[in-house]
Amino acid sequence: MATPGAPSEVAGKIIFSDSEIALRVDELGAAITADYSGRDLVLVTILKGGIFFLADLSRRIDLPLTTDFMAVSSYFGGSPGNVRITKDLDDSIQGRDVLIVEDIIDTGLTLNYVIKNLRSRGPASLEICTLLDKDVRRIVELPIAYRGFTVADRFLIGYGLDLRGRYRNLPFLAELHEVALL
Ligand code: IMP
Ligand code: MG
């Protein structure tokens, strides 16, 4: 297999620059700070893509929050939405105000499973914050409380989004360069 190209070579058209993302993350952080004041907020992120957004968003929320992480693997080849938890949360969420922080919601199948699972643990509240909403691809409707941007049905890389595990470390969101599609 050819050596993977550097992120700067693989990135094509920039869809959201790092400063555009930062501005939107500021706004989301301010909204969450206002809404969750006086509550017991825990940000739950699904590894690995969500950690980039979480790192920036959490620093724009002026509340004594905690963070926790989950990893899941999906087998969409079998029955749709067949998801397995490969790393569970470290702490109980019972009675806490859970905000799921996601990089992108596409079909919604993965998050639908996660939501059902987390709801069964008795949180005080459970909401979704996603940086990107690829809404035209949705199979399962999900209540999204906070949305960074709605995006078209194009494959994106960067700011946590990967192509076969790589390019999450691009500081912006981009389409693939034509050369990278070959
Ligand atoms: P779904 O909502 O269950 O279909 O899955 C969402 C997951 O699909 C995300 O967490 C990403 O890992 C992946 N995904 C969806 N769209 C893209 C994209 O444009 N680039 C990279 N990963 C994507
Ligand atoms: Mg992924």
Side-chain angles (χ1 to χ4, degrees):
M1 206 182 106
T3 311
S8 57
E9 294 163 1
V10 174
K13 183 181 171 200
I14 295 177
I15 303 300
F16 298 109
S17 68
D18 46 359
S19 55
E20 285 172 318
I21 296 170
L23 275 177
R24 190 69 188 116
V25 171
D26 267 1
E27 291 170 354
L28 293 172
I32 292 165
T33 301
D35 293 350
Y36 283 87
S37 168
R39 296 164 70 188
D40 184 17
L41 178 61
V42 51
L43 302 180
V44 167
T45 297
I46 301 168
L47 299 173
K48 303 169 184 167
I51 62 168
F52 297 80
F53 180 36
L54 171 83
D56 287 341
L57 179 68
S58 62
R59 286 178 289 176
R60 293 291 173 266
I61 301 174
D62 187 20
L63 294 173
L65 57 83
T66 65
T67 55
D68 210 339
F69 302 91
M70 249 176 127
V72 297
S73 65
S74 314
Y75 300 105
F76 295 145
S79 64
N82 188 1
V83 181
R84 191 168 59 94
I85 295 174
T86 56
K87 186 230 171 286
D88 206 346
L89 300 177
D90 288 333
D91 300 315
S92 168
I93 55 168
Q94 190 173 6
R96 301 200 60 194
D97 292 293
V98 177
L99 182 59
I100 299 176
V101 176
E102 260 284 32
D103 49 0
I104 186 165
I105 304 177
D106 185 29
T107 63
L109 290 170
T110 312
L111 200 52
N112 187 52
Y113 171 87
V114 169
I115 292 246
K116 279 188 187 152
N117 181 287
L118 295 184
R119 203 169 271 144
S120 74
R121 305 183 194 193
S125 65
L126 184 59
E127 301 287 352
I128 300 169
C129 173
T130 188
L131 180 65
L132 303 175
D133 182 5
K134 214 182 248 186
D135 59 351
V136 294
R137 297 248 314 157
R138 196 65 32 79
I139 292 174
V140 192
E141 275 320 307
L142 294 168
I144 300 175
Y146 307 93
R147 175 189 289 100
F149 305 102
T150 299
V151 290
D153 186 11
R154 299 296 300 268
F155 191 82
L156 302 178
I157 54 170
Y159 203 75
L161 295 185
D162 69 299
L163 171 65
R164 294 189 284 273
R166 300 187 202 276
Y167 311 121
R168 298 188 197 275
N169 55 321
L170 270 173
F172 46 77
L173 280 151
E175 289 182 355
L176 289 178
H177 194 277
E178 281 171 41
V179 172
L181 293 170
L182 296 175

